[in-house]
Each structure stands twice: as structure tokens, then as C-alpha cells.
Amino acid sequence: MEIVEVGPRDGLQNEKTLLSTEVKVEYITRAIAAGVRRIEAVAFAHPARVPQMADAEAVLAAVPRLPDVSYIGLVLNRRGLDRALASAGVDEVNYVLVATDEFSQRNQGMSTAASLAQWDEVAAGARAAGLRATLTVAAAFGCPFTGEVTAQHVAGLVAAAQTRPDEICLADTIGVGVPRQVAELVTEVRAVAPGVALRAHFHNTRNTGYANALAALEYGVLALDASTGGIGGCPFAPAATGNIATEDLAHLLHRSGTDTGTRLAELAETGTWIADQLGITAPAMLGRAGAFPPPATA
Amino acid sequence: MEIVEVGPRDGLQNEKTLLSTEVKVEYITRAIAAGVRRIEAVAFAHPARVPQMADAEAVLAAVPRLPDVSYIGLVLNRRGLDRALASAGVDEVNYVLVATDEFSQRNQGMSTAASLAQWDEVAAGARAAGLRATLTVAAAFGCPFTGEVTAQHVAGLVAAAQTRPDEICLADTIGVGVPRQVAELVTEVRAVAPGVALRAHFHNTRNTGYANALAALEYGVLALDASTGGIGGCPFAPAATGNIATEDLAHLLHRSGTDTGTRLAELAETGTWIADQLGITAPAMLGRAGAFPPPATA
């Protein structure tokens, strides 16, 4: 399995404190030093709406370039794609399709159907530039405005996408999913997009995120989003809180016999460090509790 | 499945703030109003060592008496049993056996073998008084002082117990277990204690507690400990933090199609209320995030 570090994007975009470009680059650099190899580094969103991401181009210009590290730029529309294509070093364009109209309007100012139509344009543009084009279905487990979102509805959206994504990410944007729902959603989406790699994205808003992550892996999802420190949330969803934490996920997986290619001590240190930069306590637990077994007994 | 509310015991015993007897009784009364029917109400520990439990007798004398509500008193030794037997309204004596000598010495001043010998005496005394006698194996997933604890070691302790417990509770006192370990431990313990009801006890110290709870149910565990508010921890284990929260567990189970007999809104309110009494932020998430789907859309 593969951990996708989304702290620099989803982690930072809902925090009140605006960090300097240098601190963002250090966050990414530290994650790489801890072993992460795929990073959602920026969002190309309107700087007035998401000021935390206003320096996306500057961040990408300054991050380390390593042959085995790939950077994802999140885009919400054609304008975002243009910025991604004009930036140095975006390896992958990740387009967001929100599963419900109400949330889609608030998140990117258009209906789900209009957003789905733009996906084709974005994917075509990304591929013409030699980039991977992946599709995140946001609010795939529930909507903060309209309630339940069924697996059948999400599968219908995926089936309606004209352009086949390089990967589909199923996102529980507001942290309402449970493992049974993960199993159902993965099964339904796979049925309409056979052979497409699946990725999952969980928030721990109601303490179900880590159980969901394990369920996703059990059902064949290949990649999991997580943010070092467990920081984050969606600025356009009420009461949204952090992603599952990279260090806690890695600790859980390592103790379950699954290697993630990451080093716990460096991840935990980075989680504590980024929380200090933001002036918050990290939602991640590992930095406070310490890895087990403790070094003295290991 | 059955939720055992352990907030009044495990939840309060590691908090710095000492609550009045009245507040403890109100905590229990609120949990009952929210639908909980089995409650670990007190520990009969030495008041100088665990001052939070010093008024155990007074709490038990004041809690509501309802025909379908049962109260557990936790005991660590013969002296604790004597206090339990002298108290009004203990329905069940829960004896703690710590799986490692180092932690057992710190927790109750004797080796694991000596503690195992006392179990027979405590169980006999409880049963002679018409009470259930249950056995919690603490640190069953790992020890803060000596590291890994194997499923075989725990099963060996259970096999060595001369008196058959009415129930065995497998406790991850310091929150280091993962679902794979839950599966292995439950399987090993069941093999040496066939037919004995199993209960599990998880702390969310490293964000694995809720995944472990689901795994325990999947492997046939019938009861889960949880504390409303997610408060708690062990005073004799470094960096120990709260139990899984009753409200978050109930929300997860309800959304998974498993009824717990509890009402989420009342649990969440109680979690926020007890945290206010303690002057802390509740580790439980539901009180902050709200249940899903939100009432407006449900």
C-alpha cells in the first residue's frame, strides 16, 4: 500500500494560521525525509477563497526534486488546471468532484453535473501535458448539507465520467463513514470502474477514520490519504476536522504487519512540529503517546 | 452486544480533578438515562493511591437502583473484595490481573502469580455473597514497562486461573493493540476458556481503539468497555490516555447497523458535561462534531 501525504494541502487549508512558503516547504521536506513518496502539495484554488493555498506556485518551485517523489496538485476547475500546467513540477492533477449539488456549489460554485463535465476537460489538458489525471469524489460517504450519500449514487457519478481516471479517490470529507460503508462503496465503484486503482481519504471527525482505513485496505484500496499531525479539514464544510494522521496510520499498519516505507519517529516529530507552527495541539496521538514498543524495550 | 460504561471508574481515576460524590452519581445517572445498563461504577482501591475512588461506598449508596441496571465494583485484592462485600449494591466484582510482573507490582504491589492466586479467593468470596466474579486481564496487548505481551502469555494466565470467571475482559490498558492482535488474542483465550463470555477494553491512546472494538465484535466478543466523554487512563502507566468514548462507539455501531440500546444525543451531552466538570476538553468527538446524519436532514 501507499500513503499519500495530504497535510500540505488538506491539512493546511482549514487552519486559521497562514504559514509562510518556507514553512510549507519544510513540512514537505520533512515528510519526504520520513519516507513519504507521494504528496498532495498544493491546491490551485482561488486565493481569496482559500488563502492558505495562495502561494501554490511558490511552494512547488521550492520543494525538493527527487526521482521517486511525485507531487499532486489539486484542481477544482479549468482555471486551476491552467495554473497547474503553468507550474513547475506537478506530476499529477487531482480533480475534485463533490457528490452532492449543495456541497459542490459551495465548494466550487457549480453543480455536480457541471463539475463532472469539467473533469473531461481537466483530464484531457493534464494528459496532453504528460501528467496523470486522478479523480477524487468528495462527500462520498455523506454530505454536511443534505445528509446520506448512497454508494449507488457515487457509483453512478463514476460511471457517468466520460474520461477514465488514472485513479479514483473515495473521500469521506466530513468523517461520517464506517467500515461497512467503505466495503459497500468500494465494491460498487469497482463494479463500474473495473481495473481503475482506488485510493481512499478519511477524516477522523467522529473517530471512525482509522477503522475505515483498515477496511479500505482489506477491500483492495491501494493508497490512503493522511496528513502528518492529523491536521486539517474542509473550509466549506461545517465542523470538519483533521485527516487521519500519517504517523498514527503508519504505526497502526506497521503493528499490523504492513510496511508503509515510512519512519515513525520522524513522522511523529514532524506532526508535533507542524502543530507548533500552527499554534495548535496535533490531533495525531503518536507524538504524545510514543510508538510501541518503547525503544527501551524494543 | 453490550456496552459497559467504565467512565465512572476508569474514566475518572486518572483525572487530576477530584469530583464530588454528587457529580459522580450524576454522571452515572445520566449514563443510565442515555440507555446504558451495565456500569463499572467504582474501584475499591487504596484511597491514598487512587484518591479519585476514595468515596466508592458513598457513590454506590447514592446511585439509582433499577431492576435492569447492574453495577460493577473493581477490586485489586482481598481488601478490595471486603469493601465490595460491605457495600450496598455491587452486582459484580471485577478483579484485575495485570499480565506482566513489572506492571502488576506497580498497579497492585504483587507479582502476576501472586495476583492470580488471589483471584481464586476473590472469586470465591464474591460468589459466596451471590455476586458475579469477572476477571480483567490488564496490559493484555502490551506493557508500558516491558514491551510486547504475547497472546500465548495471556492465554497461559487464563488457563492457569483455577476458578472459572463469569466473564473474561481483555484489556489494552495502554492503547497499543491493533485489530490483528485482537483477533489472535481472542482466538487464543477462547481456546483455553471455551464457553466463557468475553469482553474487551480499549484505550484510544494511539488511535487504534475503535478499529479494535469492531474487530473484537467481529471475533465474537460480547461486551465492550467505553467511557462517556472518552475520559480516563491508568494512573500507574505512563502516557496512558482515555478509554474509547461511549458516544463515539455507539455512533460507529449504530451507523454499522448494530444497536447498542443507547441514545447518541444524551451520551454526547453527558460526555461534554463530564469534561466540563473535569475542566478538560472531552477526547470524544461526537459532542463536537454532532451525530450524522444531522437532524435537519435525517
Side-chain angles (χ1 to χ4, degrees):
Chain A
M1 66 79 57
E2 176 183 55
I3 289 181
V4 179
E5 173 63 43
V6 298
R9 198 277 303 172
D10 203 7
L12 297 181
Q13 74 175 12
N14 201 34
E15 296 292 342
K16 279 180 205 139
T17 303
L18 297 187
L19 301 181
S20 69
T21 305
E22 290 66 31
V23 170
K24 293 177 188 178
V25 171
E26 183 171 349
Y27 186 29
I28 292 169
T29 305
R30 282 171 176 253
I32 293 170
V36 173
R37 287 295 174 266
R38 192 174 168 208
I39 300 166
E40 197 159 277
V42 298
F44 295 102
H46 195 295
R49 297 199 76 216
V50 189
Q52 296 90 340
M53 296 288 113
D55 58 347
E57 286 83 352
V59 169
L60 281 169
V63 293
R65 293 289 155 192
L66 295 163
D68 60 343
V69 170
S70 70
Y71 292 109
I72 305 171
L74 185 129
V75 309
L76 300 169
N77 48 39
R78 175 74 221 189
R79 170 80 187 115
L81 173 69
D82 292 340
R83 286 178 62 197
L85 297 181
S87 295
V90 174
D91 299 296
E92 183 182 321
V93 168
N94 182 30
Y95 183 77
V96 177
L97 175 72
V98 181
T100 63
D101 281 330
E102 171 88 24
F103 194 178
S104 183
Q105 287 288 357
R106 294 184 191 231
N107 198 64
Q108 52 215 85
M110 54 184 143
S111 70
T112 301
S115 176
L116 191 56
Q118 283 219 2
W119 153 248
D120 295 312
E121 201 179 336
V122 167
R127 285 180 182 159
L131 308 182
R132 271 162 60 88
T134 58
L135 181 66
T136 287
V137 184
F141 293 76
C143 169
F145 308 109
T146 57
E148 301 287 1
V149 173
T150 66
Q152 292 71 27
H153 174 70
V154 174
L157 294 174
V158 168
Q162 300 271 319
T163 308
R164 180 186 162 101
D166 290 309
E167 176 186 63
I168 296 166
C169 178
L170 301 170
D172 185 8
T173 310
I174 58 167
V176 298
V178 295
R180 197 168 84 158
Q181 206 178 353
V182 173
E184 187 189 4
L185 185 56
V186 168
T187 304
E188 294 280 339
V189 169
R190 183 172 286 130
V192 296
V196 177
L198 296 182
R199 170 180 159 199
H201 175 107
F202 297 112
H203 286 255
N204 199 39
T205 310
R206 290 165 185 82
N207 260 327
T208 64
Y210 297 89
N212 289 342
L214 286 181
L217 293 180
E218 191 184 333
Y219 280 83
V221 166
L222 300 173
L224 290 172
D225 288 357
S227 87
T228 300
I231 59 173
C234 174
F236 306 112
T241 57
N243 296 91
I244 56 172
T246 309
E247 58 268 54
D248 293 3
L249 177 65
H251 184 258
L252 165 59
L253 292 177
H254 293 188
R255 282 191 66 73
S256 303
T258 300
D259 186 32
T260 67
T262 60
R263 286 175 292 282
L264 297 179
E266 285 95 326
L267 286 177
E269 271 169 37
T270 300
T272 303
W273 171 83
I274 192 67
D276 286 348
Q277 300 297 316
L278 293 164
I280 61 171
T281 300
M285 303 280 209
L286 204 68
R288 279 171 278 160
F292 185 84
T297 71
Chain B
M1 66 81 55
E2 175 182 56
I3 290 181
V4 180
E5 172 63 44
V6 298
R9 198 278 302 172
D10 203 6
L12 297 181
Q13 72 175 13
N14 201 34
E15 296 292 340
K16 280 181 203 137
T17 303
L18 298 187
L19 300 181
S20 68
T21 304
E22 290 67 31
V23 171
K24 293 177 189 178
V25 171
E26 182 171 350
Y27 187 28
I28 291 168
T29 305
R30 282 172 175 253
I32 292 170
V36 173
R37 286 296 172 266
R38 192 174 169 207
I39 300 166
E40 196 159 278
V42 298
F44 295 102
H46 195 296
R49 298 200 75 215
V50 189
Q52 296 89 340
M53 295 290 112
D55 58 347
E57 285 84 351
V59 169
L60 281 169
V63 293
R65 294 289 156 193
L66 295 163
D68 61 344
V69 170
S70 70
Y71 292 109
I72 305 171
L74 185 129
V75 310
L76 301 168
N77 48 38
R78 175 74 221 188
R79 169 80 187 114
L81 173 70
D82 292 341
R83 286 178 61 197
L85 296 182
S87 295
V90 174
D91 299 295
E92 183 182 321
V93 168
N94 183 30
Y95 182 77
V96 177
L97 174 72
V98 181
T100 63
D101 281 331
E102 171 88 23
F103 195 178
S104 183
Q105 286 289 358
R106 294 185 190 229
N107 199 64
Q108 53 214 85
M110 54 183 144
S111 69
T112 300
S115 176
L116 192 56
Q118 283 219 4
W119 154 247
D120 295 312
E121 202 179 335
V122 167
R127 286 178 182 159
L131 307 183
R132 272 162 60 87
T134 59
L135 180 66
T136 286
V137 184
F141 293 77
C143 170
F145 307 109
T146 58
E148 301 287 0
V149 173
T150 67
Q152 292 71 28
H153 173 71
V154 174
L157 294 174
V158 169
Q162 300 270 319
T163 308
R164 180 187 164 101
D166 289 309
E167 179 188 59
I168 296 167
C169 179
L170 301 170
D172 185 9
T173 311
I174 58 167
V176 298
V178 295
R180 197 168 84 158
Q181 205 178 353
V182 173
E184 187 189 4
L185 185 56
V186 168
T187 304
E188 293 279 339
V189 168
R190 183 172 286 129
V192 297
V196 177
L198 296 182
R199 170 180 159 199
H201 175 107
F202 298 111
H203 286 255
N204 199 38
T205 311
R206 290 166 186 82
N207 259 326
T208 63
Y210 298 88
N212 289 342
L214 286 181
L217 294 180
E218 190 184 333
Y219 280 83
V221 166
L222 299 174
L224 289 172
D225 288 358
S227 86
T228 299
I231 59 174
C234 174
F236 306 111
T241 58
N243 296 89
I244 57 172
T246 309
E247 58 268 54
D248 293 2
L249 176 65
H251 184 258
L252 164 60
L253 293 176
H254 293 187
R255 282 191 66 73
S256 304
T258 301
D259 185 33
T260 66
T262 61
R263 288 175 291 283
L264 297 180
E266 284 94 326
L267 286 177
E269 270 170 38
T270 301
T272 303
W273 171 83
I274 192 67
D276 286 347
Q277 300 297 316
L278 293 164
I280 61 170
T281 300
M285 302 281 208
L286 204 68
R288 278 170 279 159
F292 186 85
T297 72

